[in-house]
Amino acid sequence: MLESKKLELRRSEIRQELAVLAAKPEPTEDEVRSMENLDKEYRTAEVRFRAALTAEDTERREAGAELETRSGKEWAEMMGRFEMRQVALALDEGRALDGATAEIVTELREQGGYRGIPVPWAALEKRAGETVASGTPDPISTRPVIDRLFPDSVAGKMGAQMITIESGATEWPVVTSSVSAGWADGETANVAGPSVFATTDKALKPEQNLGIQMRITRKALKQSGAALEQAVRRDMNSAMQAELDKAIFLGTGANGQPLGVVAGASTYGINDTDLSAVPTYAHFLAEVVAFMSANTITSPEQIRALLRPELFGYLEGQVNADLQITEYHRFAWLLAGRQAAPGTFPSNITTTSNALATPSGSPEETSMLLTTSTGGVAPIFCGLWGAVDMIRDPFSDAQSGGLRITALATADVTVARPAQLRLLSGIQLSAS
C-alpha cells in the first residue's frame, strides 16, 4: 500500500477518536491529554501526507498512463495474432478456431449479430514482413508476382475520421448559431446578446452495405497453407479500401451507396466554385485565401488538396515565363510553406484516379477538393458498423470442391461542418 494511503487511513481513525472525545461534556484529564496527543499526531500526519503525495506523484502518473493504455496494447497484440487462414479453413472444413483468433471472434459475436464469422477491420491490414504477391503464391516457385493494382487509400490522407459503431445510429450535435461578443457602450449599457445557441444533428446510419465475394479453389486451399492468409487479407483489404474511398468521395446516395462529399457537395452545403476556365496560380490562391478566411486557418499548410493525375500533368506542363517554374510547383509551394521541390508531392497534396471523377467534356474538365481539420473536428466522418461479416456459400462451388465466401460491411458517410471542405470544379485541362 502507498504511504499516502496509510497516512490517509490513520488520519481518518484520529478524526473518529477525536469526535468521540469531543462529544463528552466533562472530559477527564487523561481524555484531555489524549485529545492533545491525537491533535498533535493529526497535524504531523497532515504534513507527512502532503510530502508523500509529492513523492508519489511520478509513480502515480506512470501507473495511470499504464492503466489507460494497457487494454489498447493488449488488444493490439492479440489482433496481431489473428489468423485469416483459420477463418478460411473454418468456413471450408468446419475446423474449430483456436488461440487469439477464437477469442477475438467470440468477443465480436457478443457485441453484435453476424451470420458468419466476424473479422475485425484491423485483421485486414497488411502486416510487417509480408511478401507482396498476387492471388495465391505457388510454393514451387520462390519468385514473387505482382499484386493487383488498387489505388492507395486517400480518405485518411484527406483527414477523414473512421468511426467504429457497435449498433444503431450515431449523431454529432454541431453548433450552427453565430454567438458573438460585444462591448458595452457606456457604464450602464448592456453587452451584446442574447444569442441563441443552436445545434444541428449530423447522423451516421447503418443503411449501406458493402460486400465482396471471393472464390478459393480446392487447389489453393490444399496447396498454399499459411500463405493463403496473406493473399486473402491483401485482396480483401485492397478491394474494400478502394471501394470505400470511392464511395466517401463519389458515392451517389442511390442504389445502396452512401452520399459522397464530392457528388453530394450541394446537399452537404459545401462551397463549390465552378471555374470553367484553364487553371492558374491566381485561381488557386483565391480559393486558398477564401478557405482560410472561412475556417480561421493560420497557414495554407493546414489545408489538404486532392486532385486528379491529369490535373497534375497539366499544371506541371505549364511553365511561368517570369519565374521559370511550373504552375504546379507554385501551387505546391503555396500549400507546403514554400518548401516543395519541383515535381514533388508535399504531404498535404494527394493525387487519385479513384476518388475523383475522370475528366470529361470538351474541353475536358476535372475538379479538386480542399479539406482541413478545425478545432479537432475532422472534415469527413465515415462510420463502420462492427466487424467484417464472413459468410460461407457451401453450394455454388460444391461441384468443384471450392469455397466461396462473402464479406459484408456496413458503412456511411457524413460531413459535420461543410465549411471545412471546398470544391473547385470546372477546371479545364485545355483552352476552349
Side-chain angles (χ1 to χ4, degrees):
M1 182 183 296
L2 294 174
E3 185 65 23
S4 61
K5 190 64 177 177
K6 296 178 182 177
L7 291 169
E8 186 178 0
L9 292 174
R10 178 54 187 159
R11 288 165 61 214
S12 178
E13 294 173 356
I14 293 174
R15 284 195 299 269
Q16 291 177 359
E17 293 180 21
L18 285 172
V20 173
L21 294 173
K24 294 186 176 183
E26 296 181 0
T28 64
E29 292 183 1
D30 292 339
E31 291 172 339
V32 171
R33 282 194 298 271
S34 179
M35 283 191 286
E36 291 175 352
N37 293 334
L38 288 172
D39 180 65
K40 182 179 180 180
E41 183 183 356
Y42 185 88
R43 290 197 302 270
T44 304
E46 177 72 21
V47 175
R48 294 180 59 197
F49 177 72
R50 290 197 298 269
L53 285 179
T54 303
E56 295 166 1
D57 182 60
T58 303
E59 185 179 350
R60 288 174 182 273
R61 290 181 182 179
E62 293 177 352
E66 182 183 356
L67 289 174
E68 290 176 0
T69 58
R70 182 181 298 168
S71 60
K73 290 180 180 178
E74 290 177 352
W75 179 255
E77 292 173 358
M78 185 180 295
M79 196 65 65
R81 301 195 300 271
F82 188 94
E83 296 182 352
M84 286 293 297
R85 176 173 54 91
Q86 288 196 40
V87 176
L89 293 175
L91 293 171
D92 178 52
E93 305 172 358
R95 184 177 299 185
L97 302 175
D98 57 27
T101 305
E103 292 183 39
I104 293 173
V105 169
T106 301
E107 185 159 344
L108 289 173
R109 286 192 186 280
E110 292 176 354
Q111 296 179 2
Y114 299 93
R115 290 185 56 195
I117 298 178
V119 176
W121 286 93
L124 300 183
E125 297 175 353
K126 293 183 180 180
R127 299 178 183 174
E130 287 186 3
T131 302
V132 177
S134 174
T136 305
D138 187 349
I140 298 176
S141 174
T142 58
R143 294 177 58 85
V145 288
I146 300 173
D147 237 348
R148 284 191 294 156
L149 183 62
F150 288 101
D152 291 335
S153 175
V154 299
K157 295 180 181 179
M158 294 304 291
Q161 182 177 349
M162 301 296 179
I163 301 172
T164 301
I165 304 171
E166 292 185 7
S167 61
T170 301
E171 294 183 344
W172 284 268
V174 180
V175 177
T176 55
S177 57
S178 298
V179 179
S180 57
W183 295 97
D185 186 13
E187 183 178 354
T188 60
N190 296 326
V191 296
S195 300
V196 176
F197 184 82
T199 62
T200 300
D201 291 337
K202 300 292 184 177
L204 288 172
K205 299 181 180 180
E207 297 176 350
Q208 291 80 217
N209 297 317
L210 172 65
I212 179 175
Q213 277 199 342
M214 302 183 68
R215 294 184 62 188
I216 304 177
T217 64
R218 183 172 180 80
K219 178 181 177 181
L221 288 167
K222 303 301 181 185
Q223 183 183 37
S224 298
L228 180 65
E229 177 181 343
Q230 287 87 349
V232 172
R233 186 189 305 119
R234 274 197 310 273
D235 264 13
M236 288 187 62
N237 172 71
S238 300
M240 300 188 80
Q241 171 184 291
E243 190 57 36
L244 268 177
D245 268 344
K246 185 176 180 180
I248 289 172
F249 296 96
L250 297 178
T252 62
N255 302 320
Q257 300 180 27
L259 182 61
V261 297
V262 174
S266 59
T267 302
Y268 288 121
I270 299 170
N271 185 87
D272 184 359
T273 302
D274 189 357
L275 190 60
S276 297
V278 172
T280 63
Y281 175 78
H283 292 135
F284 297 133
L285 178 60
E287 288 299 309
V288 169
V289 170
F291 196 47
M292 291 175 65
S293 301
N295 286 280
T296 320
I297 301 173
T298 58
S299 170
E301 298 175 48
Q302 297 174 264
I303 299 174
R304 302 180 183 91
L306 183 65
L307 60 150
R308 290 276 311 187
E310 294 87 350
L311 178 57
F312 160 71
Y314 176 80
L315 295 173
E316 188 67 10
Q318 302 300 307
V319 180
N320 183 278
D322 297 327
L323 302 176
Q324 290 301 306
I325 59 175
T326 66
E327 290 295 307
Y328 170 76
H329 190 196
R330 298 180 72 190
F331 176 60
W333 262 10
L334 176 63
L335 293 190
R338 302 278 176 176
Q339 298 177 359
T344 62
F345 291 97
S347 59
N348 56 345
I349 296 181
T350 304
T351 61
T352 178
S353 57
N354 181 53
L356 290 175
T358 304
S360 60
S362 182
E364 287 189 337
E365 293 184 345
T366 185
S367 58
M368 181 176 68
L369 180 68
L370 303 177
T371 70
T372 188
S373 298
T374 304
V377 178
I380 307 167
F381 289 111
C382 178
L384 301 173
W385 274 262
V388 181
D389 196 358
M390 301 282 287
I391 303 173
R392 177 195 182 195
D393 179 0
F395 305 108
S396 299
D397 296 324
Q399 192 170 5
S400 62
L403 170 65
R404 182 173 299 191
I405 57 177
T406 301
L408 294 177
T410 303
D412 194 17
V413 179
T414 192
V415 171
R417 292 198 289 233
Q420 292 181 227
L421 298 96
R422 196 174 185 91
L423 184 64
L424 182 60
S425 58
I427 303 174
Q428 297 180 0
L429 300 180
S430 61
S432 301

